[in-house]
Amino acid sequence: MTRRGLRFGLLGTPVLYGDEPARGQAPCAQGGLPVHPLTSPKLRTLLTVLLLDAGRVVSVQVLKDALWGGAPPVSALPSLHNHVARLRRLLDEPGRLLTVPTGYVLRVDDGELDVQVFDTHVAAARAARADGDWERVRGECRAALGLWRGTPLGGLAPEVGGYALVRRIQEARLLLQEWRYDAELALGDDRLADLVPELAALAEEHPLREAYHRQLMLALHRTGRQAEALVVHRDLRARLADELGVEPGPSVRDAHVEVLRGSGTRDGASQWVRPARTPVARTPIGRTPIAQSPFAQVPSGHLPSAQPAPAQLPPGQLPPAPAHFVGRADTRQAIAHALSVTDGTTPLVVLSGTVGVGKSALALHVAHALEERFSGGRLYLGLRAADPRSAAPLTAEQALAALLRDLGVPSGVVPEHPDAASALLRSLLAPTRTLLVLDDAVSAAQVRPLLPAGPGCGVVVTSRSPLTALDGAARFPLAPLSDEESAALLRAASGRDDITAGHPLVALTGRLPLALRVVAARLAARRALTPDALAAQLAAADSRLDLLDYDDLGVRRSLDAAFNALTASERRGDRDAALALRHIGALDLPSYDAPSLARLTGVDEARAEAALERLAEVALLEETAYGRFVPYDLVRDFARERAAEPCAHAPSGCHFASA
């Protein structure tokens, strides 16, 4: 135990504090505490995952997924044991890191984790603020903010998780800064002039967060700079009107009145510091005041004790646009046109196609290009229909809660009933011009509750299925790229300018963008590896899928996720489809129909046809003519692999499961 009690740090790059400085250790900003250097990324990841579930069992599988990004090597288990042993030596305390039958448990006592200490200071500051004890508010805020070393969980891969923790702590830090400046203004000491540069920087960094602008106005006014305070108010009001269509909130209006009257004094903070209360509905400029806010039906006892929520920055959640995007010019133009329809409805676009065909890349490319059209922001949510990193797709309830939180609704205020949550989402989006990108959807039922109703909004959905149950959607089924487009993508991503449309690599990748990106990554990583040599390796391999896996890109992983989703489904039709794919791999015919599959499996033709149709619906087969189905090129390789494996998913071998 250190002299300050801290043992673990997550408020920045994860660190482990020690008792006494040892050779090679560096002091940390927290009171000179010595820090054990966690130079190994794997060791930092292991410690962080254990800390995120401190005191609870963390399974071996969860640790392997975090350490190796969902694709652990064959040696993962002994390697994990080695990392655990190294961490135990650093902890140097028996009973601190325990082995249990299913995984490991890290014991963290009260006050040993900086996040715990941070939360304690936040709670104390909140209580002092409610009591009007501004001296204590300032002290607690300074103590909490002093623990901050940078972005929480800094330098870790997304697989580690902790997104919810980081988001919560970052929001808490913004509140602490607000409370600290409230306290400084309320106490009115000689530091007011020193606050102006700090508040100006925060207002610039958070242009729609009203609290910092209010505090900057008051600090300027109370140090004799009334004109500058009025400029701050004017600029904030114009920005809110232009970007959100709302007026400043009550606390900003009160501060504005103080500036206009010239009535602010160093002990006059009580005029503008408001007690905790229920959030007030904001009246959009040029609109009739709304009778109730979206939160009006929520009991006030469920609302957080805080000042009215500040205006939220328009969401900009899109992942980066694909760096090397080629082709599909006509489709891009048609999608942009579909999203620009102004007939009073919400434009809805569905991009469908097989695994790795580039649905997500196209959706992001178009969404980034339409930034001006959707000035209210762009929301992005992965629905995880077949995500190799996720065990199950998001439910509609989980998706609704995630979108509402992203729009600034506190977790405790999100309605529990899905219909109420869906109605709240529509209410929040209705007056905006927001683009919603729903990536990797499993079904129309998963998507339907998430759809906005405002005519200014737009929705892009990607799915292996065309989601024909969604009415009014403009559908764009995506085929593999052309030979020339495939060669262009290979040239752009690999830096090899000599690859032409007729090169064997084009056909060997099935012209799927995901496979093309893997091949390009291999060529970029090994300059001595020629395109011809890599093509020869792919042609000679028992399965091309072995070579179409690189770093976090992998065709087999994506196909595995799609196949496993069918296998694990509670619907008999999905399980039939998974078993039908095994039979397709065993037969290895040019095409398939229901009569041939029925004869092979011993089921009636209607059931065999349903299995084939389901495989086509999830884009593992293509129906080239009525009743005639053909596997996509790389799906055929995958089906052969599955046919060669033992079948443990049906009670009697690899035959269709009984009803």
Side-chain angles (χ1 to χ4, degrees):
M1 185 72 67
T2 67
R3 56 189 169 87
R4 288 195 51 187
L6 284 178
R7 187 70 192 271
F8 308 97
L10 294 180
L11 296 177
T13 303
V15 296
L16 176 63
Y17 300 117
D19 292 312
E20 298 294 336
R23 181 176 299 174
Q25 290 181 346
C28 157
Q30 274 69 51
L33 290 177
V35 178
H36 287 290
L38 296 175
T39 56
S40 164
K42 288 284 191 294
L43 204 57
R44 280 199 304 272
T45 298
L46 174 64
L47 176 62
T48 301
V49 175
L50 291 168
L51 285 172
L52 289 174
D53 279 303
R56 295 190 291 269
V57 176
V58 182
S59 71
V60 168
Q61 187 59 49
V62 167
L63 292 172
K64 287 163 64 177
D65 288 345
L67 290 171
W68 288 282
V74 176
S75 61
L77 191 57
S79 181
L80 173 61
H81 292 161
N82 180 52
H83 290 306
V84 169
R86 291 177 61 194
L87 181 57
R88 280 200 174 107
R89 287 195 295 272
L90 279 177
L91 293 171
D92 193 25
E93 184 178 346
R96 174 67 75 171
L97 178 53
L98 301 175
T99 302
V100 296
T102 58
Y104 299 92
V105 179
L106 178 63
R107 193 192 83 238
V108 176
D109 297 330
D110 290 342
E112 289 190 326
L113 177 61
D114 58 6
V115 174
Q116 295 174 343
V117 180
F118 179 88
D119 287 340
T120 300
H121 287 306
V122 172
R126 180 180 289 110
R129 183 170 175 270
D131 294 338
D133 186 350
W134 295 110
E135 189 66 52
R136 186 177 168 214
V137 170
R138 180 166 63 180
E140 295 292 349
C141 289
R142 286 176 174 175
L145 294 169
L147 293 166
W148 203 267
R149 295 178 290 106
T151 303
L153 311 188
L156 297 176
E159 290 82 9
V160 176
Y163 173 78
L165 173 69
V166 173
R167 185 183 176 95
R168 174 181 70 79
I169 293 176
Q170 287 177 329
E171 180 59 28
R173 181 174 183 245
L174 293 176
L175 280 175
L176 283 170
Q177 289 173 320
E178 292 179 16
W179 297 349
R180 179 209 154 194
Y181 290 113
D182 280 351
E184 298 280 7
L185 288 162
L187 293 169
D189 58 22
D190 294 330
R191 288 199 64 249
L192 282 183
D194 297 333
L195 300 183
V196 171
E198 301 170 23
L199 285 166
L202 284 169
E204 179 71 18
E205 184 180 355
H206 304 281
L208 297 178
R209 201 168 183 104
E210 294 183 33
Y212 297 144
H213 293 79
R214 167 179 57 79
Q215 292 163 339
L216 177 58
M217 288 166 56
L218 292 170
L220 286 167
H221 169 54
R222 295 177 185 181
T223 53
R225 300 162 68 177
Q226 183 185 35
E228 292 172 72
L230 291 173
V231 169
V232 172
H233 179 268
R234 181 200 65 191
D235 292 347
L236 173 65
R237 186 168 185 249
R239 188 179 302 113
L240 291 175
D242 181 57
E243 299 190 27
L244 299 179
V246 298
E247 288 280 2
S251 60
V252 173
R253 292 199 294 269
D254 288 357
H256 186 222
V257 169
E258 177 184 318
V259 176
L260 290 172
R261 290 177 177 173
S263 58
T265 61
R266 289 176 181 260
D267 60 353
S270 60
Q271 298 176 29
W272 55 268
V273 176
R274 295 172 173 267
R277 64 180 183 181
T278 302
V280 177
R282 304 290 293 278
T283 303
I285 293 174
R287 294 178 181 266
T288 302
I290 301 172
Q292 289 183 323
S293 80
F295 307 104
Q297 296 179 353
V298 182
S300 60
H302 294 171
L303 293 172
S305 177
Q307 287 181 269
Q312 295 291 315
L313 188 69
Q317 298 181 332
L318 294 180
H324 306 291
F325 189 91
V326 300
R328 307 201 192 278
D330 292 343
T331 304
R332 282 185 279 141
Q333 186 176 359
I335 294 170
H337 176 74
L339 290 171
S340 301
V341 172
T342 55
D343 60 357
T345 63
T346 301
L348 171 60
V349 165
V350 176
L351 309 181
S352 61
T354 191
V355 168
V357 79
K359 303 180 292 294
S360 299
L362 177 58
L364 292 175
H365 185 81
V366 171
H368 278 281
L370 294 176
E371 180 177 2
E372 292 186 4
R373 162 73 176 84
F374 295 100
S375 57
R378 289 158 297 165
L379 287 166
Y380 174 88
L381 184 63
L383 297 176
R384 307 193 311 220
D387 188 339
R389 299 163 298 181
S390 176
L394 287 184
T395 65
E397 291 82 0
Q398 290 171 326
L400 280 167
L403 289 172
L404 288 171
R405 287 194 298 268
D406 290 341
L407 288 170
V409 179
S411 298
V413 182
V414 174
E416 293 185 5
H417 196 283
D419 290 345
S422 184
L424 176 55
L425 179 65
R426 291 193 297 272
S427 296
L428 293 175
L429 293 177
T432 71
R433 300 176 66 84
T434 301
L435 179 63
L436 179 58
V437 178
L438 302 172
D439 196 17
D440 197 22
V442 65
S443 66
Q446 184 190 33
V447 169
R448 194 175 286 110
L450 312 179
L451 299 179
C457 294
V459 184
V460 177
V461 183
T462 73
S463 176
R464 286 174 291 125
S465 165
L467 304 181
T468 53
L470 287 178
D471 295 333
R475 292 183 174 80
F476 297 89
L478 302 185
L481 298 176
S482 68
D483 289 349
E484 185 52 54
E485 289 169 342
S486 300
L489 179 55
L490 284 174
R491 289 194 297 269
S494 70
R496 308 296 181 92
D497 296 332
D498 56 341
I499 300 176
T500 65
H503 196 279
L505 281 178
V506 170
L508 288 166
T509 56
R511 303 187 306 283
L512 290 178
L514 176 58
L516 291 162
R517 288 173 60 206
V518 172
V519 166
R522 288 189 177 278
L523 291 173
R526 295 179 61 192
R527 302 307 297 179
L529 178 64
T530 66
D532 290 343
L534 182 54
Q537 293 176 15
L538 281 166
D542 292 335
S543 173
R544 285 175 289 175
L545 300 180
D546 291 332
L547 291 171
L548 295 179
D549 192 333
Y550 188 84
D551 203 343
D552 63 338
L553 301 174
V555 177
R556 181 189 281 116
R557 271 178 280 172
S558 297
L559 288 168
D560 268 334
F563 179 81
N564 293 338
L566 292 173
T567 302
S569 173
E570 296 180 358
R571 296 173 52 194
R572 187 186 72 173
D574 286 352
R575 299 195 301 275
D576 282 355
L579 291 171
L581 191 65
R582 287 179 178 271
H583 290 298
I584 286 170
L587 286 173
D588 203 15
L589 300 175
S591 63
Y592 302 84
D593 58 18
S596 61
L597 185 62
R599 287 193 298 272
L600 177 67
T601 59
V603 301
D604 60 75
E605 288 190 17
R607 191 169 170 187
E609 184 176 22
L612 290 170
E613 289 178 354
R614 180 60 178 148
L615 288 172
E617 184 182 357
V618 296
L620 293 175
L621 302 182
E622 182 181 14
E623 190 173 14
T624 55
Y626 178 71
R628 179 65 57 180
F629 299 86
V630 177
Y632 288 93
D633 195 18
L634 295 178
V635 174
R636 190 183 293 276
D637 280 14
F638 178 79
R640 291 192 195 105
E641 290 184 4
R642 287 295 183 174
E645 295 176 351
C647 182
H649 304 289
S652 56
C654 283
H655 299 289
F656 283 8
S658 58

